[in-house]
Amino acid sequence: MSKRLYIQEVATRDGFQIEADFVPTEAKIALIDRLSQSGLAKIEVTSFTSPKAIPNLRDAEDVMRGIRRAEGVEYTVLVPNVKGCERALACEVDEINLVMSASDTHGLANLRMTPEQSLVQFREIIEATRGSGVFINASLSTTFGCPFEGDVPERRIYELVQRLLEIGVQGITLCDTTGMADPAQVERICREALNAGIDRFDASLGGLGGCPYAPGASGNICTEDLVHMFQRMGLGTGVDLDRLLQCTADLPQLVGHDVPGAVLKAGKADRRYPGPKWMEEAAV
Ligand code: COA
C-alpha cells in the first residue's frame, strides 16, 4: 500500500442536518467518540448555522464541547458567516469549514448569499481567525451541477477556486451537492482546479445526508463503502473498517430508518455465503 488517503466523516453534520427527527445531543457525542477511535482523519462535528435554518444542529456548542478529542483526529465545523465563526472559535475547533455555493440560486436558497457575497463574508471570517491557528477550509457546493440552474460553467469553478486561494483559504472541498457529477467531469475539474493532487474524501456513515436547501439531495458517498472500496484497490486509509461498521450497525436505530450503505448489508468482499440448500443435498 503506497498512497495514503484521508477519510473525512460528515455524518454528524451533513447526515443529521436533514433527518426528520432531532438526534439527541448525548447520542451525537457518543457516536463521534466512537468514530474518533476508528482511524478517520477528520470529523465534521456539527455546524454553527442559524438554529432556525438547521434546527437539528441547534446543540452545536454542547456537542463540540462534549466530545472527547482523540489525538491524530481533526475536528472541523461548518460555518456560513461571521457569527458562526465566532461561535466556532469559542469552542476551539481545529478547522473552520466555510461553505459557499458555485451557483447564485443555490447560494441564495441555502445561505441567502450569492457566491460574491459569500466571498465578502469569507474575507471577514479569515480576518477574524487571524492568530488563532485554526485551519480554513472552504466547501464549494454545486461544483458539479446545481439542482436549480443545471451545469455551472467550469471556468466559473476555476475562477472561484483561484479567488478562494487568494483570500487565504488553505483547503478546498469540491462538493457534488445532489449527485450530478460524472467521472470524466470530476477528473477534468479536479485536474484543472487543483492539479488533481486530491487525497482527501468526504463521506458519510451509512450514506446519510444531503443539503436541506438543494432539492433532490438524497445522501452522500457512504464512508464504510468508500473505505471498503479503497481497501480492495490496495489504497490505505488508516481506517479500521470493522469498527466503522459497528458504528453503522447502530445508525438505523439512531435515526429511525434504514440507511443506504451496501457493505453493512452485503458484507465485506471476503464474506462467503453457503450455497443453495439443493446443492448441498445433491452433494451428499
Ligand atoms: N449562528 C446562529 N444564529 C445565526 C447565525 C449563526 N451562524 N447566523 C445568523 N443567525 C441568526 C441571527 O442572529 C438571526 O436571529 P434572530 O432572527 O433571532 O434575530 C437570524 O439567524 C437571521 O439572521 P440573518 O443574518 O438575517 O441570517 P439569514 O436569515 O440571512 O440566514 C444563514 C443566513 C446563512 C445564517 C442561514 O441561512 C443558515 O444558517 N443557513 C444554513 C445553511 C446550511 O447549513 N445549509 C446546509 C449545509 S450545505
Side-chain angles (χ1 to χ4, degrees), residues 134-150:
V134 72
F135 189 88
I136 305 289
N137 192 74
S139 285
L140 194 55
S141 301
T142 66
T143 292
F144 301 95
C146 169
F148 303 105
E149 296 180 17

Side-chain angles (χ1 to χ4, degrees), residues 13-14 17 47-54 57 61 78-85 87 99-100 106-113 141 177 210-213:
R13 197 282 297 171
D14 195 290
Q17 73 181 2
S47 71
F48 287 96
T49 44
S50 156
K52 281 184 198 145
I54 310 284
L57 303 182
E61 273 85 357
L78 183 136
V79 159
N81 59 10
V82 176
K83 180 162 184 171
C85 169
R87 293 173 60 202
V99 61
M100 67 176 284
H106 181 255
L108 289 167
N110 189 31
L111 301 158
R112 315 255 175 276
M113 283 179 263
S141 301
T177 304
C211 173
Y213 301 98

Side-chain angles (χ1 to χ4, degrees), residues 33-160:
D33 286 348
R34 287 175 76 190
L35 289 169
S36 290
Q37 302 302 320
S38 66
L40 293 160
K42 194 181 281 183
I43 299 176
E44 192 167 50
V45 174
T46 186
S47 71
F48 287 96
T49 44
S50 156
K52 281 184 198 145
I54 310 284
N56 279 356
L57 303 182
R58 60 183 181 267
D59 55 359
E61 273 85 357
D62 291 339
V63 173
M64 196 58 227
R65 293 202 173 108
I67 57 172
R68 261 175 306 171
R69 300 195 194 188
E71 210 168 308
V73 182
E74 289 164 5
Y75 296 91
T76 184
V77 294
L78 183 136
V79 159
N81 59 10
V82 176
K83 180 162 184 171
C85 169
E86 287 163 359
R87 293 173 60 202
L89 289 179
C91 292
E92 298 183 350
V93 300
D94 298 322
E95 176 187 292
I96 285 177
N97 184 21
L98 304 175
V99 61
M100 67 176 284
S101 191
S103 57
D104 284 9
T105 314
H106 181 255
L108 289 167
N110 189 31
L111 301 158
R112 315 255 175 276
M113 283 179 263
T114 62
E116 296 301 326
Q117 289 168 318
S118 285
L119 285 168
V120 172
Q121 281 272 319
F122 288 3
R123 278 180 196 276
E124 282 183 51
I125 292 173
I126 290 167
E127 200 49 48
T129 61
R130 220 168 275 285
S132 68
V134 72
F135 189 88
I136 305 289
N137 192 74
S139 285
L140 194 55
S141 301
T142 66
T143 292
F144 301 95
C146 169
F148 303 105
E149 296 180 17
D151 289 342
V152 177
E154 288 181 15
R155 64 178 183 287
R156 177 68 170 149
I157 303 299
Y158 309 143
E159 185 211 332
L160 289 173

